[in-house]
Amino acid sequence: MKHGPIALVDPKLPVVVLAPNDRLYRKVIGDIEEVRARHGLVAAVASDGDDDIATRADHVRDVLQTSELLTPILCAIPLQLLAYHIAVLRDCDVDQPRNLAKSVTVE
């Protein structure tokens, strides 16, 4: 969050934060506090039952708490759903993304 990214924080642009209860949790909480200090909107994907994150983020989606190796897979699901719904709201064709080649040519 230092330098460049923190300069982009404003009340109109949400910051999506992955905050599972793992070894980096305290650092992520510090980043959330920096965003909140600049009146940013925080949407978090957090471990199920994390009451602390609910007091710090504006919106929270819970994922099951599991091993650290499986957590990224569980966190990817709400992120993909978020991307899908944003694309639909922007009237993008989610079935045929722009600049996607339909076939691969091999020489």
Side-chain angles (χ1 to χ4, degrees), residues 2-63:
K2 301 293 181 206
H3 309 295
I6 201 71
L8 298 173
V9 174
D10 71 19
K12 296 178 184 175
L13 182 67
V15 175
V16 179
V17 178
L18 298 179
N21 199 354
D22 61 8
R23 58 190 162 89
L24 298 176
Y25 182 77
R26 285 286 132 210
K27 288 186 180 196
V28 172
I29 292 296
D31 290 341
I32 290 172
E33 292 300 322
E34 284 189 47
V35 171
R36 300 294 292 171
R38 289 161 178 78
H39 307 290
L41 180 66
V42 177
V45 177
S47 297
D48 190 31
D50 186 353
D51 297 329
D52 186 37
I53 202 78
T55 63
R56 298 172 192 270
D58 298 295
H59 304 282
V60 179
R61 283 290 168 237
D62 294 330
V63 294

